């Protein structure tokens, strides 16, 4: 190395205090003496001052001794700064709360995105054991945990330790995070404390929900808040009470620290037995629909029937109320609990209440049923209900609407038959007037139909077709819409025949009469001939008891 090369030192920790030393680069040749000469006055070769220097030689010797001591102290101080600093720990261990079976994240304090730090996590109980570590030049961490931690510890993107699931043994020690770089080693320790929360609750709709989030005694817990499954925040207290719950309250309820959710976060599953609200409370079908309508009904939560029966399920039913409000509801199906859960027809001798809902075995939480045959008689209100002990009842109501087309002349098996020039009336109806609102009717005629104007939508349910022609034959479709959405449609077939002239009808009638008269005359002539043949006498012969030889009877 040349004399001009410079040796630079970097301290492993910052310099504090009020001492400021003017440090210049120290060159390798000449040692500390040359460095100190940079701060001392340079030697003079003036002969006039030679005697003066000799007089003061003793003072210079003393000064040199003190300078050497100062130089040695300066070098020793620099060397102390170059030594690696011992690991430093930040005060008392950090306290985090966790529940058995849950998860917890212990943070890597001081992490920045561009830092180059070697991170190591240990678990200390009776001995210190390495769990997982990550080198800054490696993309993935190295898991070296013992078997009881092997599949439960992970590192996040910022090298925080994730423990999932938490076990009882995790509360019996502490977790240490070691961060090491060129400046030294830092340590941070954490301990886990238990938080107690009910693991699972099953309630009926209408009950009150009570939850309590309790920590270990003697440990100060942070302020907490409750988060519902829908994300709604509730009271900032350890205990929570929600009245008159419904299926909207089913799901995971979370108890977490208000300021730092990582320090305390516990969850519990709440299952509310309720009937789901359908997307629409009205089911539309038509007489020409190819598939039978399904009346939807289901439990709001996926829960076993044994759990539902444990809550006091007694029976259930599907009942039907006709469109005419003068008639009382009639049970169509009853819920059978043994030997298997199923919908069964009622034993009702009333012929007017003949069940038209399909029996079904229930394997899951679906309570839906099908209508066996669509007709105007199935219009009305259907109620799906479950009855529990103490008179508790869960029910959902649906309206079944059947769209049909009434015609004049009346429709036969093959549709409406008419002759050219006749007037045809078509009425699209639900069996009652359409409610005022967004419901409207749209008529679609055959592509070859006569070009008379149907009018601008919304069209009236009644369609008047004057003087029909052969081109009007085909399927006429009526669509029931809610705004731009088609709810249901039905069709009717028109068969238009050509009208025959009057003289052709008279001629054909005359020919038919002539043929009939001719057939009658031929019939009577043949009968007369047969009667005349039967009236002729026949030759009679004598049959004797004792016949004689031939010729005996001659006279």
């Amino acid at each position: 190395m040349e004399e001009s090369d410079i040796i630079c030192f970097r301290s492993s920790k910052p310099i504090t205090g009020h001492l400021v030393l003017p440090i210049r680069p120290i060159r390798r040749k000449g040692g500390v003496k040359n460095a100190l000469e940079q701060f001392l006055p340079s030697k003079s070769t003036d002969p006039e001052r030679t005697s003066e220097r000799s007089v003061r030689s003793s003072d210079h010797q003393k000064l040199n001794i003190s300078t050497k001591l100062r130089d040695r102290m300066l070098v020793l101080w620099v060397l102390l700064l170059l030594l690696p600093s011992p690991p430093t720990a930040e005060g008392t261990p950090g306290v985090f709360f966790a529940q058995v079976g849950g998860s917890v994240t212990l943070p890597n304090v001081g992490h920045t995105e561009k830092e180059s730090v070697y991170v190591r996590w240990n678990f200390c109980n009776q001995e210190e054991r390495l769990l997982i570590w990550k080198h800054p030049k490696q993309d993935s961490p190295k898991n070296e945990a013992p078997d009881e931690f092997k599949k439960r510890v992970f590192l996040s993107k910022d090298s925080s330790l994730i423990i999932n699931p938490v076990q009882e043994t995790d509360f019996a020690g502490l977790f240490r995070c070691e961060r090491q770089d060129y400046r030294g080693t830092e340590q941070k320790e954490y301990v886990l404390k238990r938080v107690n929360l009910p693991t699972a609750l099953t309630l009926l709709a209408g009950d009150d929900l009570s939850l309590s989030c309790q920590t270990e005694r003697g440990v100060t817990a942070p302020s907490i808040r409750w988060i519902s499954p829908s994300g709604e925040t509730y009271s900032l207290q350890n205990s929570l009470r929600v009245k008159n719950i419904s299926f909207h309250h089913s799901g995971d309820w979370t108890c977490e620290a208000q300021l730092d959710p990582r320090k305390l976060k516990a969850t519990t599953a709440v299952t509310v037995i309720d009937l789901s609200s359908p997307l629409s409370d009205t089911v539309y079908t038509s007489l020409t629909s190819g598939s039978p309508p399904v009346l939807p009904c289901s439990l709001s939560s996926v829960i076993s029937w044994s759990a539902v029966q444990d809550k006091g399920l007694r029976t259930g039913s599907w009942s039907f109320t006709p469109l005419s409000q003068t008639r009382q509801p009639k049970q169509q199906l009853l819920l059978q609990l043994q030997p298997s859960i199923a919908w069964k027809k009622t034993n009702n001798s009333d012929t007017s209440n003949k069940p038209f809902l399909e029996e079904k075995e229930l394997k899951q939480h679906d309570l839906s049923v099908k209508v066996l045959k669509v007709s105007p008689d199935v219009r009305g209100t259907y109620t799906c209900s479950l009855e529990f002990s103490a008179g508790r009842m869960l029910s959902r109501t649906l309206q079944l609407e059947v769209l049909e087309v009434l015609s004049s002349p009346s429709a036969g098996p093959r549709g409406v038959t008419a002759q050219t020039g006749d007037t045809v009336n078509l009425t699209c109806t639900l069996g009652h007037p359409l409610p005022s609102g967004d419901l409207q009717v749209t008529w679609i005629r055959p592509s070859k139909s006569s070009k008379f104007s149907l009018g601008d939508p919304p069209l009236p349910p009644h369609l008047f077709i004057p003087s029909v022609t052969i081109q009007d034959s085909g399927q006429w479709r009526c669509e029931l819409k809610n705004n731009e959405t088609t709810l249901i449609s039905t069709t009717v077939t028109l068969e238009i025949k050509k009208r025959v002239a009057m003289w052709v009808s008279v001629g054909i009638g005359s020919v038919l009469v002539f043929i009939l008269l001719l057939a009658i005359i031929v019939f009577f002539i043949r009968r007369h001939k047969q009667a005349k043949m039967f009236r002729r006498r026949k030759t009679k012969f004598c049959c004797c008891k004792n016949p004689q030889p031939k010729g005996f009877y001659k006279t």
Side-chain angles (χ1 to χ4, degrees):
M1 181 178 292
E2 301 295 335
E3 184 178 358
S4 60
D5 294 338
I6 298 176
I7 302 176
C8 298
F9 303 96
R10 174 174 287 180
S11 173
S12 61
K13 56 185 178 181
I15 303 174
T16 59
H18 301 284
L19 177 63
V20 179
L21 296 178
I23 301 177
R24 298 184 182 181
I26 300 176
R27 303 181 185 277
R28 182 176 295 276
K29 293 185 179 181
V32 179
K33 183 177 179 180
N34 291 339
L36 292 176
E37 287 179 354
Q38 299 179 27
F39 300 98
L40 297 177
S42 61
K43 295 181 179 180
S44 175
T45 57
D46 189 356
E48 296 180 357
R49 296 184 180 182
T50 303
S51 59
E52 183 179 356
R53 288 199 301 270
S54 62
V55 174
R56 301 176 59 184
S57 60
S58 60
D59 294 336
H60 280 289
Q61 291 177 355
K62 295 180 181 180
L63 178 61
N64 289 337
I65 295 174
S66 61
T67 303
K68 290 180 180 179
L69 291 176
R70 186 181 67 179
D71 179 57
R72 291 176 180 177
M73 292 297 295
L74 178 61
V75 173
L76 180 62
W77 177 72
V78 172
L79 292 176
L80 289 175
L81 292 179
L82 293 176
L83 292 176
S85 59
T88 59
E90 299 183 6
T92 59
V95 178
F96 276 67
F97 296 87
Q99 64 179 151
V100 176
S103 64
V104 66
T105 301
L106 304 180
N108 176 20
V109 179
H111 169 80
T112 58
E113 293 184 0
K114 297 183 179 181
E115 69 177 355
S116 179
V117 178
Y118 171 80
V119 178
R120 181 172 59 192
W121 283 91
N122 301 327
F123 179 71
C124 306
N125 190 356
Q126 296 179 354
E127 59 179 350
E128 185 170 359
R129 291 175 289 179
L130 176 63
L131 298 180
I132 193 170
W133 59 272
K134 185 178 186 301
H135 194 275
K137 294 184 179 181
Q138 291 179 340
D139 295 333
S140 59
K142 183 69 174 178
N143 190 332
E144 297 185 3
D147 293 339
E148 60 266 30
F149 285 99
K150 192 73 174 178
K151 297 182 179 181
R152 300 191 298 114
V153 292
F154 313 92
L155 283 187
S156 64
K157 187 177 180 180
D158 62 353
S159 296
S160 297
L161 181 65
I162 302 174
I163 308 173
N164 185 23
V166 177
Q167 295 183 358
E168 287 286 352
T169 55
D170 300 340
F171 299 97
L174 61 86
F175 295 87
R176 178 181 292 124
C177 175
E178 296 183 359
R179 294 164 42 87
Q180 185 177 356
D181 59 4
Y182 66 91
R183 295 173 297 181
T185 303
E186 296 179 355
Q187 294 182 353
K188 178 63 179 177
E189 296 177 345
Y190 301 95
V191 293
L192 296 182
K193 298 297 181 181
R194 290 181 183 83
V195 56
N196 298 318
L197 197 63
T199 55
L201 292 175
T202 302
L203 302 172
L204 281 177
D207 289 344
D208 294 342
L209 172 63
S210 297
L211 295 174
S212 179
C213 186
Q214 300 295 335
T215 57
E216 294 184 15
R217 292 184 178 181
V219 181
T220 303
S223 299
I224 65 172
R225 61 182 177 181
W226 290 92
I227 308 297
S228 71
S230 61
E232 185 179 358
T233 302
Y234 281 78
S235 62
L236 306 177
Q237 297 179 359
N238 288 10
S239 298
L240 173 69
R241 185 178 180 86
V242 182
K243 296 183 177 181
N244 193 23
I245 60 175
S246 66
F247 70 91
H248 298 289
H249 298 93
S250 288
D252 292 334
W253 286 77
T254 303
C255 162
E256 67 179 20
Q258 181 180 0
L259 299 180
D260 188 0
R262 295 180 300 179
K263 286 193 173 183
L264 190 156
K265 187 173 184 179
T267 60
T268 183
V270 176
T271 302
V272 180
I273 300 176
D274 196 2
L275 296 180
S276 299
S277 295
L279 298 178
S280 174
D281 57 0
T282 304
V283 177
Y284 293 94
T285 187
S286 68
L287 297 181
T288 59
S289 177
S291 59
V294 177
L295 304 180
C297 183
S298 63
L299 294 174
S300 59
S301 304
V302 180
I303 185 173
S304 64
W305 280 106
S306 59
V308 178
Q309 289 179 285
D310 291 341
K311 298 302 293 183
L313 177 64
R314 296 177 55 188
T315 185
S317 66
W318 271 100
S319 60
F320 167 65
T321 304
L323 194 60
S324 175
Q325 298 296 330
T326 58
R327 300 179 61 181
Q328 297 297 322
K330 299 292 184 179
Q331 286 186 345
Q332 289 279 313
L333 298 175
L334 285 177
L335 186 64
Q336 172 188 275
L337 301 180
Q338 295 295 337
S340 61
I341 308 295
W343 290 119
K344 294 294 182 179
K345 294 181 180 180
T346 58
N347 297 323
N348 196 333
S349 59
D350 185 5
T351 57
S352 62
N353 188 39
K354 183 179 180 180
F356 40 79
L357 297 181
E358 184 180 24
E359 293 182 340
K360 177 184 178 181
E361 185 174 352
L362 306 180
K363 296 182 179 180
Q364 297 180 353
H365 62 288
D366 187 14
L367 303 173
S368 304
V369 293
K370 290 183 179 180
V371 179
L372 292 175
K373 184 178 180 181
V374 178
S375 68
D377 295 334
V378 301
R379 292 189 180 112
T381 303
Y382 294 81
T383 302
C384 172
S385 60
L386 296 178
E387 184 179 349
F388 293 82
S389 57
R392 300 288 299 276
M393 181 78 72
L394 302 177
S395 63
R396 288 291 182 269
T397 300
L398 297 169
Q399 185 76 20
L400 179 61
E401 299 284 7
V402 179
L403 186 68
E404 65 173 334
V405 175
L406 302 179
S407 64
S408 175
S410 300
R414 299 179 58 183
V416 179
T417 302
Q419 294 183 351
T420 55
D422 289 347
T423 298
V424 176
N425 294 313
L426 301 178
T427 303
C428 192
T429 179
L430 295 173
H432 58 83
L434 291 179
S436 58
D438 299 328
L439 290 181
Q440 60 184 21
V441 168
T442 299
W443 286 95
I444 300 177
R445 57 189 173 188
S447 58
K448 296 182 180 180
S449 175
S450 56
K451 303 302 181 182
F452 71 93
S453 176
L454 293 178
D456 297 328
L459 300 177
H462 180 75
L463 182 63
F464 176 74
I465 309 176
S467 187
V468 293
T469 63
I470 298 295
Q471 288 75 20
D472 295 329
S473 297
Q475 286 190 344
W476 291 71
R477 186 166 76 250
C478 167
E479 293 183 348
L480 183 65
K481 291 187 174 183
N482 185 0
N483 293 327
E484 297 299 325
T485 303
T486 301
L487 301 176
I488 193 66
S489 65
T490 186
T491 60
V492 62
T493 301
L494 293 186
E495 185 180 359
I496 310 301
K497 298 180 179 181
K498 189 174 181 180
R499 185 181 297 276
V500 182
M502 181 62 67
W503 66 268
V504 176
S505 299
V506 173
I508 294 175
S510 301
V511 172
L512 292 177
V513 171
F514 174 77
I515 294 174
L516 179 61
L517 292 176
L518 183 60
I520 294 174
I521 292 172
V522 172
F523 174 76
F524 278 105
I525 290 175
R526 294 190 63 183
R527 288 293 304 270
H528 177 72
K529 288 181 178 181
Q530 291 177 359
K532 188 175 181 180
M533 290 177 62
F534 280 110
R535 286 196 299 267
R536 292 179 180 177
R537 295 183 59 87
K538 295 183 180 180
T539 305
K540 294 183 180 181
F541 297 93
C542 177
C543 294
C544 301
K545 184 175 181 182
N546 297 315
Q548 297 297 323
K550 186 176 181 182
F552 176 78
Y553 296 100
K554 292 182 179 180
T555 56

